[in-house]
Amino acid sequence: MPADSVSVTGWGRTAPTTARLVRPRTYGEAAAAVRECGTRGGIARGLGRAYGDAAQNAGGAVLDMTGLDRIHAIDAGGGTVLCDAGVSLHRLMEVLLPLGWFVPVTPGTRYVTVGGAIGADIHGKNHHVSGSFARHVLSFELLTADGEIRTVGRGTPLFDATAGGMGLTGVILTATVRLQPVESALMSVDTERAVDLDDLMARLTATDHRYRYSVAWIDLLARGSGTGRAVLTRGDHAPLDALPPRARRHPLAFRPSRLPAAPAFVPEGLLGRTTVGLFNELWYRKAPRARTGELQPIPAFFHPLDGVPHWNRVYGRGGFVQYQFVVGHGREETLRRIVRRISERRCPSFLAVLKRFGEGDPGWLSFPVPGWTLALDIPAGLPGLGAFLDELDEEVAGAGGRVYLAKDARLRPELLDAMYPRLGAFRSLRRELDPRGVFTSDLSRRLGL
């Protein structure tokens, strides 16, 4: 099987490392690739949307699983799909929406593979209702370090270690996923503005239960009385009777739009405080104070950035850090303090979102716990950024919170045990399952996973 030596990086385009990229096209080739990983091991990779170094492996092998992309069976009556792990959520939407089904959980991009969705136990705007992706996975086939293919069902230690386990228990080959029924490919969306963080949190707490999907864009450059001002967007799948007559002719049509790709070269510093501050001001002012029942296509509501190929280039060659943390209910003051600190430091982030998480899922390294999660992007070259984020990590850990490993690129390993209480069980099972350390990544080496 041919392998190329390539430079590999995460979506944040920081800390590239060189690895042998192997592209298996069959399960047998995947097993052979695992056997031939060598002393530096290997890690599975999907569409490369992990922001940090989770799908990198310096000096070792990276298994590009996108060649295993078959949809094997769809139960259109029962609402399940059996597919290869290399199938993207985009492809599932293309195939399933015309049948009246939608993926149960989608993050801010549909260019994520099913294997990656399980390995990172992704979450979306509906976590407060539907939980993480793995909650909807009935079973999967896992290629382990001994070359065995195991069928893994819910409620088993191997399932819980793999869901959110960042690919370190093995290579997911197939999965059976339970789907969400829908009547149309449109969303009924309510939008409102919140004047500050307290106003935003009060609105979310009081009325989030009315919506399946909920997210708030938050202005982290606003200060003073406007600190934490936000645009709150919530909605649900539009029923057929809510559609205008023309839309009812093809209610399940899925037609994503695409804009020109971001240029390969973008001047450094383009997304500085001035430009991001101007963008944030315009975005907040253009949002309606209150609007209900607006019909939006699924791509516009869930994946607006997917319409701009290679949008991550706009941060320049230095790339960017995506920082996401969660703190539990009752720890709202920690969230307020962190938002104030980010605002006072003038961190130029125009992709900052706040959401409420519902009940956590059983994955030992799954990120969500009940509470509040804030995600923000920051240009990697911002002076003093590393030390500043280290301080935020301390606050998060001290409040019993955690950072999201699928987005992490720089967490100090000594904080990991405090953030993930089941880490010891994960390490123990991994040693038992993979004593030679066949499955490894830059993330696992950096954090001692």
Side-chain angles (χ1 to χ4, degrees):
M1 188 175 7
D4 302 318
S5 181
V6 298
S7 178
V8 182
T9 184
W11 192 245
R13 303 177 76 200
T14 59
T17 55
T18 301
R20 290 184 298 106
L21 189 66
V22 186
R23 299 176 177 87
R25 299 291 177 179
T26 66
Y27 305 148
E29 288 186 355
V34 169
R35 288 194 301 269
E36 298 164 6
C37 277
T39 57
R40 293 288 286 181
I43 193 72
R45 181 181 177 92
L47 289 167
R49 293 304 178 103
Y51 285 82
D53 53 3
Q56 299 174 213
N57 183 23
V62 170
L63 280 62
D64 179 347
M65 298 300 294
T66 56
L68 291 168
D69 59 355
R70 291 172 297 170
I71 297 177
H72 295 280
I74 299 170
D75 181 352
T80 62
V81 61
L82 168 62
C83 63
D84 283 344
V87 173
S88 69
L89 300 191
H90 173 84
R91 178 61 180 153
L92 287 181
M93 292 177 198
E94 287 183 322
V95 172
L96 296 171
L97 269 170
L99 302 176
W101 296 100
F102 190 62
V103 295
V105 171
T106 177
T109 175
R110 60 186 178 273
Y111 295 111
V112 176
T113 63
V114 170
I118 298 170
D121 200 12
I122 60 170
H123 57 271
K125 299 177 181 180
N126 59 340
H127 191 276
H128 63 293
V129 173
S130 302
S132 300
F133 191 88
R135 184 182 298 185
H136 307 272
V137 175
L138 303 180
S139 64
F140 53 79
E141 288 185 309
L142 186 72
L143 172 63
T144 50
D146 55 9
E148 182 180 346
I149 297 177
R150 309 183 186 208
T151 299
V152 183
R154 296 182 56 80
T156 63
L158 187 51
F159 188 103
D160 294 344
T162 303
M166 306 311 297
L168 297 173
T169 60
V171 178
I172 300 170
L173 297 177
T174 69
T176 301
V177 183
R178 186 174 55 241
L179 305 170
Q180 168 69 34
V182 296
E183 295 182 20
S184 78
L186 293 172
M187 305 296 297
S188 177
V189 181
D190 294 354
T191 305
E192 57 191 293
R193 287 192 298 194
V195 298
D196 58 24
L197 182 60
D198 285 339
D199 181 31
L200 172 62
M201 294 168 70
R203 291 171 188 254
L204 287 166
T205 300
T207 58
D208 241 14
H209 64 279
R210 301 176 187 170
Y211 300 90
R212 180 176 296 275
Y213 302 99
S214 175
V215 68
W217 169 87
I218 183 169
D219 183 0
L220 291 177
L221 283 176
R223 291 186 289 184
S225 61
T227 299
R229 66 181 183 176
V231 178
L232 179 56
T233 307
R234 296 181 287 187
D236 207 335
H237 298 279
L240 194 61
D241 59 13
L243 273 55
R246 185 174 181 179
R248 293 184 196 180
R249 298 175 192 168
H250 304 285
L252 293 166
F254 180 57
R255 301 188 183 99
S257 60
R258 285 174 72 87
L259 297 172
F265 174 76
V266 176
E268 298 297 323
L270 177 65
L271 295 180
R273 294 185 177 98
T274 300
T275 53
V276 173
L278 178 61
F279 170 87
N280 287 3
E281 182 69 26
L282 292 173
W283 192 260
Y284 181 76
R285 295 298 176 189
K286 75 179 279 291
R289 293 184 183 275
R291 180 175 61 201
T292 61
E294 181 191 12
L295 293 178
Q296 294 182 8
I298 278 174
F301 181 76
F302 288 105
H303 317 117
L305 287 174
D306 281 349
V308 184
H310 306 295
W311 63 262
N312 56 339
R313 293 174 180 170
V314 301
Y315 293 86
R317 291 180 178 175
F320 69 103
V321 172
Q322 176 88 181
Y323 184 68
Q324 183 169 7
F325 68 90
V326 59
V327 291
H329 295 301
R331 297 290 187 168
E332 285 78 9
E333 188 52 43
T334 299
L335 176 62
R336 293 187 185 96
R337 187 163 53 248
I338 289 176
V339 169
R340 286 196 299 269
R341 292 188 63 179
I342 294 170
S343 172
E344 290 166 359
R345 200 176 188 280
R346 308 289 288 161
C347 289
S349 175
F350 77 99
L351 292 176
V353 296
L354 181 73
K355 292 180 289 196
R356 289 175 73 242
F357 279 159
E359 289 301 315
D361 293 282
W364 293 346
L365 297 188
S366 291
F367 168 65
V369 294
W372 304 91
T373 180
L374 177 65
L376 60 147
D377 64 297
I378 314 171
L382 192 70
L385 178 62
F388 177 66
L389 293 182
D390 285 347
E391 294 172 2
L392 297 190
D393 290 339
E394 295 280 358
E395 286 215 47
V396 169
R402 59 184 57 163
V403 300
Y404 191 15
L405 297 182
K407 295 185 176 180
D408 177 57
R410 26 72 43 206
L411 178 68
R412 300 199 319 272
E414 58 266 27
L415 292 177
L416 201 62
D417 286 274
M419 292 181 173
Y420 287 91
R422 300 300 303 275
L423 183 60
F426 176 83
R427 285 172 170 154
S428 177
L429 184 143
R430 188 174 172 228
R431 283 193 300 267
E432 177 184 340
L433 195 66
D434 183 9
R436 296 183 295 114
V438 171
F439 297 112
T440 189
S441 65
D442 291 353
L443 173 78
S444 70
R445 277 190 288 264
R446 175 168 57 84
L447 293 179
L449 290 172

